[in-house]
Amino acid sequence: MPLSANNPNRKSWLDVPVDSDFPIQNIPFGVFLTKENIVTVGSRIGNYAIDLGALQQLNYFEGIELTDDMFMQDTLNDFISDGKKTWRLVRNRIAAIFDATNPELRDNVKHREIVIFNITEVEMQLPVLIGDYTDFYSSKEHATNVGKMFRDPENALLPNWLHIPVGYHGRSSTIIPSGIPVHRPMGQTLPNGETTPVFGPSRLVDFELETAFITTDVNIMGENIPVYEAEDYIFGMVLLNDWSARDIQKWEYVPLGPFLAKNFASSISPWIITLDALEPFRTKAPKQSPSPLPYLQSKGKHAFDINLEVTITPQNGVPNTVSTTNFKYMYWTMCQQLAHHTSNGCRVNSGDMMGSGTISGPTPDSFGSMLELTWGGKFPIQMNDGSERKFINDYDTVTIKGHSKNNEVRIGFGEVSSQLLPPFVRK
């Protein structure tokens, strides 16, 4: 099926600012609350939110097989379950409706008032009901940096790392959309030089610059998915700040890995950018050596050129850019991650989320966490206001942005932005 929505020459009758993350070639999917307190599935063009539930009720999706309430729900799960054919039909139709040459909605003032909202008039929600969440550890640069800090620098990567996409299962109950503040977690830590742990606020709260992909229903229990089919089951991507408490993690992670240091909060951007929208930005992944086992071998371009940026904004301050990197540096691709995830027959469902793991590039300014940027706190980052940061301070706001751009089109993710608050106090 042709991706007519991707036509770089298409223009919209809606005004789209220059360098907007959301031109008509994007057509992301999300869920928002309207000013009438109605929750609906939606899309976005420029600075306008599109009510897909209203479009469906007004028969703009006539000819596409959809359940009557497909877009009048508070999650995208059912739509995602319908599969790639439906995603493409709907996305192509939305692009056609808002094409500058199409008068059907453009010239219908009554319908426009029902369908279109200014983005400032809506409140973004979590786009999917996330049943399960897996976080991978797929940046070679990040894994090497951490290995150098905490183990023998000559053997920074553990023996399995170059053979499997390492990952762990996280907790979906604390995945939140952009804009929701996060409390500094409490937990056990072992102070330097001590043998007995203490309980109190984490002193080393960190961001982790990640992306995540959202799946459709992939398999039945016991079935594995070939690596060359895996992308057919990936609906799209979001930005992810997978908050981390480094001091809690250091004490608890042996022998079973991340636990409370990682599950207190994970913040995601509210718009899911489809793989179809990112198609023009495919690129080759880094060369893998040694060659992975046959079930993980794939041909073609399965990485994506996505520019990523992290800023820290102190309370009442200005943003400080602390990291700029790119998703294309990831050693293990999304299709390899999903193929490995199902290789033992693990079932993957619609709305499941798979985190990339911290995305670090090859240079110090492209590292994807404060742990790396300050090398464990040894080299603090200077802020514009003269203060320093080893890790994240209370009332700092961490913002991650991402976009892809070529000579024809820019496709962006918007942002995931969250403020760190002091520990929760029970009233």
mmCIF file of all heavy atoms in Angstrom, residues 185 189 202-206 208 242-250 252 260-262 264:
data_model
loop_
_atom_site.group_PDB
_atom_site.id
_atom_site.type_symbol
_atom_site.label_atom_id
_atom_site.label_comp_id
_atom_site.label_asym_id
_atom_site.label_seq_id
_atom_site.Cartn_x
_atom_site.Cartn_y
_atom_site.Cartn_z
ATOM 1 N N PRO A 185 12.852 9.886 44.590
ATOM 2 C CA PRO A 185 12.468 8.655 45.287
ATOM 3 C C PRO A 185 13.222 8.454 46.603
ATOM 4 O O PRO A 185 14.343 8.936 46.779
ATOM 5 C CB PRO A 185 12.851 7.560 44.284
ATOM 6 C CG PRO A 185 14.003 8.142 43.537
ATOM 7 C CD PRO A 185 13.710 9.610 43.418
ATOM 8 N N THR A 189 20.332 3.017 50.391
ATOM 9 C CA THR A 189 21.642 3.253 49.776
ATOM 10 C C THR A 189 22.722 2.855 50.771
ATOM 11 O O THR A 189 22.473 2.788 51.981
ATOM 12 C CB THR A 189 21.840 4.731 49.380
ATOM 13 O OG1 THR A 189 21.765 5.547 50.556
ATOM 14 C CG2 THR A 189 20.777 5.181 48.384
ATOM 15 N N SER A 202 17.015 9.570 47.490
ATOM 16 C CA SER A 202 18.129 9.386 46.571
ATOM 17 C C SER A 202 18.855 10.714 46.391
ATOM 18 O O SER A 202 18.233 11.766 46.222
ATOM 19 C CB SER A 202 17.630 8.884 45.213
ATOM 20 O OG SER A 202 18.648 8.964 44.236
ATOM 21 N N ARG A 203 20.169 10.661 46.391
ATOM 22 C CA ARG A 203 20.961 11.875 46.195
ATOM 23 C C ARG A 203 21.512 11.974 44.768
ATOM 24 O O ARG A 203 22.110 12.975 44.404
ATOM 25 C CB ARG A 203 22.123 11.890 47.203
ATOM 26 C CG ARG A 203 21.644 11.864 48.649
ATOM 27 C CD ARG A 203 22.796 11.807 49.637
ATOM 28 N NE ARG A 203 23.587 13.031 49.624
ATOM 29 C CZ ARG A 203 24.622 13.249 50.426
ATOM 30 N NH1 ARG A 203 25.006 12.314 51.290
ATOM 31 N NH2 ARG A 203 25.298 14.390 50.354
ATOM 32 N N LEU A 204 21.297 10.916 43.987
ATOM 33 C CA LEU A 204 21.880 10.861 42.641
ATOM 34 C C LEU A 204 20.809 10.549 41.600
ATOM 35 O O LEU A 204 20.887 9.571 40.863
ATOM 36 C CB LEU A 204 22.997 9.808 42.585
ATOM 37 C CG LEU A 204 24.107 9.896 43.649
ATOM 38 C CD1 LEU A 204 25.120 8.768 43.435
ATOM 39 C CD2 LEU A 204 24.798 11.247 43.597
ATOM 40 N N VAL A 205 19.793 11.404 41.526
ATOM 41 C CA VAL A 205 18.735 11.206 40.531
ATOM 42 C C VAL A 205 19.248 11.645 39.156
ATOM 43 O O VAL A 205 19.851 12.707 39.006
ATOM 44 C CB VAL A 205 17.463 11.981 40.906
ATOM 45 C CG1 VAL A 205 16.419 11.885 39.788
ATOM 46 C CG2 VAL A 205 16.876 11.434 42.207
ATOM 47 N N ASP A 206 18.986 10.828 38.165
ATOM 48 C CA ASP A 206 19.537 11.016 36.827
ATOM 49 C C ASP A 206 18.424 10.901 35.792
ATOM 50 O O ASP A 206 17.392 10.263 36.029
ATOM 51 C CB ASP A 206 20.596 9.937 36.572
ATOM 52 C CG ASP A 206 21.577 10.281 35.462
ATOM 53 O OD1 ASP A 206 21.395 11.308 34.800
ATOM 54 O OD2 ASP A 206 22.523 9.491 35.263
ATOM 55 N N GLU A 208 17.679 9.463 31.821
ATOM 56 C CA GLU A 208 18.231 8.579 30.800
ATOM 57 C C GLU A 208 17.551 8.923 29.493
ATOM 58 O O GLU A 208 16.327 8.816 29.363
ATOM 59 C CB GLU A 208 18.034 7.100 31.154
ATOM 60 C CG GLU A 208 18.912 6.657 32.316
ATOM 61 C CD GLU A 208 18.954 5.150 32.502
ATOM 62 O OE1 GLU A 208 18.265 4.441 31.734
ATOM 63 O OE2 GLU A 208 19.654 4.690 33.406
ATOM 64 N N ASP A 242 13.823 7.767 31.056
ATOM 65 C CA ASP A 242 13.707 6.661 32.010
ATOM 66 C C ASP A 242 14.508 7.015 33.263
ATOM 67 O O ASP A 242 15.657 6.628 33.428
ATOM 68 C CB ASP A 242 14.221 5.366 31.375
ATOM 69 C CG ASP A 242 13.758 4.140 32.141
ATOM 70 O OD1 ASP A 242 12.739 4.237 32.845
ATOM 71 O OD2 ASP A 242 14.411 3.097 32.035
ATOM 72 N N TRP A 243 13.857 7.790 34.129
ATOM 73 C CA TRP A 243 14.499 8.311 35.335
ATOM 74 C C TRP A 243 15.232 7.200 36.096
ATOM 75 O O TRP A 243 14.784 6.060 36.127
ATOM 76 C CB TRP A 243 13.467 8.946 36.246
ATOM 77 C CG TRP A 243 12.786 10.152 35.695
ATOM 78 C CD1 TRP A 243 11.647 10.169 34.943
ATOM 79 C CD2 TRP A 243 13.183 11.511 35.854
ATOM 80 N NE1 TRP A 243 11.312 11.458 34.627
ATOM 81 C CE2 TRP A 243 12.230 12.309 35.180
ATOM 82 C CE3 TRP A 243 14.242 12.144 36.515
ATOM 83 C CZ2 TRP A 243 12.315 13.702 35.140
ATOM 84 C CZ3 TRP A 243 14.327 13.522 36.482
ATOM 85 C CH2 TRP A 243 13.364 14.295 35.788
ATOM 86 N N SER A 244 16.339 7.576 36.721
ATOM 87 C CA SER A 244 17.158 6.586 37.420
ATOM 88 C C SER A 244 17.734 7.182 38.697
ATOM 89 O O SER A 244 18.158 8.346 38.710
ATOM 90 C CB SER A 244 18.299 6.120 36.508
ATOM 91 O OG SER A 244 19.086 5.140 37.130
ATOM 92 N N ALA A 245 17.727 6.398 39.766
ATOM 93 C CA ALA A 245 18.347 6.795 41.041
ATOM 94 C C ALA A 245 19.637 5.994 41.189
ATOM 95 O O ALA A 245 19.609 4.823 41.581
ATOM 96 C CB ALA A 245 17.392 6.540 42.200
ATOM 97 N N ARG A 246 20.754 6.602 40.850
ATOM 98 C CA ARG A 246 22.009 5.861 40.720
ATOM 99 C C ARG A 246 22.495 5.265 42.038
ATOM 100 O O ARG A 246 23.079 4.172 42.052
ATOM 101 C CB ARG A 246 23.092 6.779 40.140
ATOM 102 C CG ARG A 246 22.769 7.347 38.767
ATOM 103 C CD ARG A 246 22.645 6.252 37.721
ATOM 104 N NE ARG A 246 22.405 6.836 36.391
ATOM 105 C CZ ARG A 246 22.155 6.128 35.313
ATOM 106 N NH1 ARG A 246 22.107 4.808 35.387
ATOM 107 N NH2 ARG A 246 21.943 6.717 34.147
ATOM 108 N N ASP A 247 22.294 5.967 43.147
ATOM 109 C CA ASP A 247 22.782 5.441 44.427
ATOM 110 C C ASP A 247 21.947 4.263 44.905
ATOM 111 O O ASP A 247 22.467 3.281 45.437
ATOM 112 C CB ASP A 247 22.852 6.530 45.498
ATOM 113 C CG ASP A 247 21.622 7.436 45.532
ATOM 114 O OD1 ASP A 247 20.720 7.283 44.667
ATOM 115 O OD2 ASP A 247 21.572 8.322 46.406
ATOM 116 N N ILE A 248 20.632 4.321 44.672
ATOM 117 C CA ILE A 248 19.777 3.178 45.005
ATOM 118 C C ILE A 248 20.128 1.995 44.117
ATOM 119 O O ILE A 248 20.237 0.852 44.568
ATOM 120 C CB ILE A 248 18.282 3.556 44.859
ATOM 121 C CG1 ILE A 248 17.912 4.660 45.862
ATOM 122 C CG2 ILE A 248 17.391 2.335 45.057
ATOM 123 C CD1 ILE A 248 16.501 5.197 45.689
ATOM 124 N N GLN A 249 20.339 2.282 42.840
ATOM 125 C CA GLN A 249 20.655 1.226 41.882
ATOM 126 C C GLN A 249 21.961 0.526 42.235
ATOM 127 O O GLN A 249 22.070 -0.704 42.156
ATOM 128 C CB GLN A 249 20.734 1.815 40.469
ATOM 129 C CG GLN A 249 20.935 0.781 39.369
ATOM 130 C CD GLN A 249 20.848 1.401 37.982
ATOM 131 O OE1 GLN A 249 20.555 2.582 37.825
ATOM 132 N NE2 GLN A 249 21.097 0.605 36.966
ATOM 133 N N LYS A 250 22.957 1.284 42.637
ATOM 134 C CA LYS A 250 24.269 0.699 42.948
ATOM 135 C C LYS A 250 24.167 -0.317 44.075
ATOM 136 O O LYS A 250 24.836 -1.355 44.062
ATOM 137 C CB LYS A 250 25.242 1.814 43.334
ATOM 138 C CG LYS A 250 26.657 1.325 43.611
ATOM 139 C CD LYS A 250 27.577 2.491 43.946
ATOM 140 C CE LYS A 250 28.996 1.999 44.236
ATOM 141 N NZ LYS A 250 29.902 3.137 44.579
ATOM 142 N N GLU A 252 21.249 -1.978 45.069
ATOM 143 C CA GLU A 252 20.250 -3.035 44.918
ATOM 144 C C GLU A 252 20.434 -3.932 43.698
ATOM 145 O O GLU A 252 19.832 -5.001 43.630
ATOM 146 C CB GLU A 252 18.845 -2.419 44.840
ATOM 147 C CG GLU A 252 18.558 -1.732 43.501
ATOM 148 C CD GLU A 252 17.124 -1.228 43.357
ATOM 149 O OE1 GLU A 252 16.342 -1.337 44.308
ATOM 150 O OE2 GLU A 252 16.816 -0.703 42.269
ATOM 151 N N LEU A 260 13.902 -0.838 42.244
ATOM 152 C CA LEU A 260 13.287 0.401 42.713
ATOM 153 C C LEU A 260 13.986 1.653 42.188
ATOM 154 O O LEU A 260 13.382 2.726 42.112
ATOM 155 C CB LEU A 260 13.264 0.433 44.240
ATOM 156 C CG LEU A 260 12.500 -0.725 44.920
ATOM 157 C CD1 LEU A 260 12.558 -0.566 46.431
ATOM 158 C CD2 LEU A 260 11.062 -0.779 44.447
ATOM 159 N N ALA A 261 15.240 1.528 41.831
ATOM 160 C CA ALA A 261 15.978 2.671 41.288
ATOM 161 C C ALA A 261 15.477 3.085 39.924
ATOM 162 O O ALA A 261 15.799 4.175 39.437
ATOM 163 C CB ALA A 261 17.470 2.338 41.206
ATOM 164 N N LYS A 262 14.672 2.228 39.286
ATOM 165 C CA LYS A 262 14.230 2.483 37.930
ATOM 166 C C LYS A 262 12.712 2.567 37.777
ATOM 167 O O LYS A 262 12.234 3.066 36.765
ATOM 168 C CB LYS A 262 14.745 1.376 37.004
ATOM 169 C CG LYS A 262 16.253 1.296 36.899
ATOM 170 C CD LYS A 262 16.843 2.471 36.163
ATOM 171 C CE LYS A 262 16.328 2.472 34.742
ATOM 172 N NZ LYS A 262 16.806 3.677 34.021
ATOM 173 N N PHE A 264 10.353 4.105 39.707
ATOM 174 C CA PHE A 264 9.600 5.174 40.367
ATOM 175 C C PHE A 264 8.975 6.131 39.355
ATOM 176 O O PHE A 264 7.985 6.791 39.654
ATOM 177 C CB PHE A 264 10.476 5.926 41.369
ATOM 178 C CG PHE A 264 11.646 6.656 40.773
ATOM 179 C CD1 PHE A 264 11.562 8.008 40.461
ATOM 180 C CD2 PHE A 264 12.846 5.998 40.543
ATOM 181 C CE1 PHE A 264 12.638 8.685 39.921
ATOM 182 C CE2 PHE A 264 13.940 6.672 40.008
ATOM 183 C CZ PHE A 264 13.835 8.012 39.676
#
